[in-house]
Amino acid sequence: LPETHGITFRIQINVKELLDTDVLLKLLFHLPVNYPSTLPDISVNSDQLTRAQCMDVKNKLLEQAKKHLSEPMVHDLILWIQQHLKYVIKQSATVCSEKTTLSKGTSTEDGIWMLLLHLDHMRAKAKYVKTVEKWASDLRLTGRLMFMGKIILILLQGDRSNIKEYLILQKTSKVDVDSSGKKCKEKMISVLCETEVQSQHKRFQTFEVKEYSTLDELQKEFETAGLTALFSEFVPPLLK
């Protein structure tokens, strides 16, 4: 909303000696008409700080502003944050690291994701398999390409961004041939599951291509990886 009342101004300040890096703070003060008897609106941005840290800086500035109510305060607030930024950030960093140690129990690694794909068929199997292996290795993904009867599954683990990248490659590259032997994109692919890796899941160390002669063998592969639930939810329906 455009502010019709009061004045707004932006200030950029460089705060030194914070973990040996300069922090460029972009401060936006909106002074309402009856400032300084009303507090200014403040917004804080910085490329060097997280969103949470910017919120902390803003809240601390507002706390300070209350102490200066009814006297011009912007200049004082700027001086205050230049002197105190490192303490504000330090505080928010310790809060942050306490939180992460608490959640360590639930997720082993930040942002390791798992993807289970079902392919309808592979006409040019050897070439297709090579392509999948190359993508997995380029994107540092581990897991399995699994064949069991007519069922073809790709199970991948890795950074979430790399998993997303893999999906794009899989959907946009010419990976197979059509019935007349022309190269074609993969149209018959379904994403069965895309989820964060939990602590009870085992991490695959490598990417391997495997053939299974029975459903039991396939199920054991999932069980070994701590993925029994994933198996029973998604694989049996494929046999119908």
Side-chain angles (χ1 to χ4, degrees):
L1 284 175
E3 295 286 3
T4 41
H5 304 299
I7 57 166
T8 301
F9 56 94
R10 294 166 193 279
I11 294 176
Q12 294 203 22
I13 53 171
N14 222 341
V15 186
K16 291 233 182 282
E17 60 169 355
L18 182 72
L19 306 171
D20 308 324
T21 51
D22 289 5
V23 174
L24 186 65
L25 275 191
K26 297 167 193 160
L27 304 175
L28 187 67
F29 291 92
H30 173 250
L31 310 183
V33 178
N34 38 4
Y35 167 87
S37 42
T38 315
L39 290 179
D41 276 329
I42 304 173
S43 79
V44 178
N45 277 301
S46 173
D47 295 340
Q48 289 85 18
L49 302 182
T50 63
R51 236 164 70 240
Q53 288 173 326
C54 286
M55 278 305 290
D56 286 337
V57 170
K58 173 187 164 162
N59 293 335
K60 286 282 188 283
L61 279 169
L62 285 171
E63 273 171 36
Q64 285 304 309
K66 283 178 191 152
K67 298 179 185 170
H68 292 284
L69 208 52
S70 78
E71 51 185 89
M73 61 184 86
V74 172
H75 183 63
D76 292 327
L77 292 178
I78 291 167
L79 290 177
W80 184 87
I81 197 60
Q82 281 178 308
Q83 288 158 358
H84 293 85
L85 182 67
K86 57 179 169 201
Y87 306 111
V88 176
I89 303 304
K90 227 195 198 122
Q91 252 180 335
S92 78
T94 48
V95 172
C96 186
S97 61
E98 275 163 29
K99 276 203 198 103
T100 46
T101 44
L102 285 177
S103 63
K104 269 286 187 287
T106 48
S107 144
T108 42
E109 270 175 76
D110 204 26
I112 295 295
W113 280 65
M114 178 165 63
L115 180 68
L116 181 61
L117 299 173
H118 174 234
L119 295 182
D120 189 66
H121 59 264
M122 282 185 182
R123 285 205 175 84
K125 185 172 166 181
K127 176 180 171 291
Y128 205 134
V129 168
K130 266 211 171 60
T131 306
V132 170
E133 285 180 312
K134 182 180 182 329
W135 288 340
S137 117
D138 288 350
L139 293 165
R140 296 193 301 281
L141 300 173
T142 60
R144 300 280 181 270
L145 169 50
M146 303 178 268
F147 295 93
M148 203 282 309
K150 286 198 157 45
I151 293 180
I152 307 170
L153 295 169
I154 302 178
L155 181 62
L156 296 168
Q157 292 178 343
D159 286 347
R160 189 174 191 184
S161 54
N162 292 357
I163 292 258
K164 293 232 174 298
E165 185 69 27
Y166 178 91
L167 262 177
I168 293 168
L169 284 170
Q170 179 80 61
K171 287 176 178 168
T172 55
S173 312
K174 292 190 172 174
V175 279
D176 208 359
V177 294
D178 61 18
S179 49
S180 64
K182 278 224 276 304
K183 286 185 176 181
C184 66
K185 291 178 185 172
E186 180 57 74
K187 295 197 176 60
M188 309 285 285
I189 185 172
S190 42
V191 176
L192 301 178
C193 174
E194 190 179 348
T195 179
E196 192 156 4
V197 171
Q198 303 301 316
S199 50
Q200 73 271 19
H201 302 151
K202 304 267 190 306
R203 291 289 309 278
F204 290 109
Q205 297 307 312
T206 54
F207 182 80
E208 292 173 38
V209 181
K210 287 186 149 184
E211 309 241 357
Y212 308 85
S213 42
T214 64
L215 192 61
D216 275 354
E217 277 182 22
L218 184 59
Q219 187 166 352
K220 284 213 175 66
E221 181 77 79
F222 277 82
E223 280 170 2
T224 320
L227 301 171
T228 312
L230 191 74
F231 177 86
S232 45
E233 188 177 343
F234 296 107
V235 182
L238 300 174
L239 294 166
K240 293 194 173 64

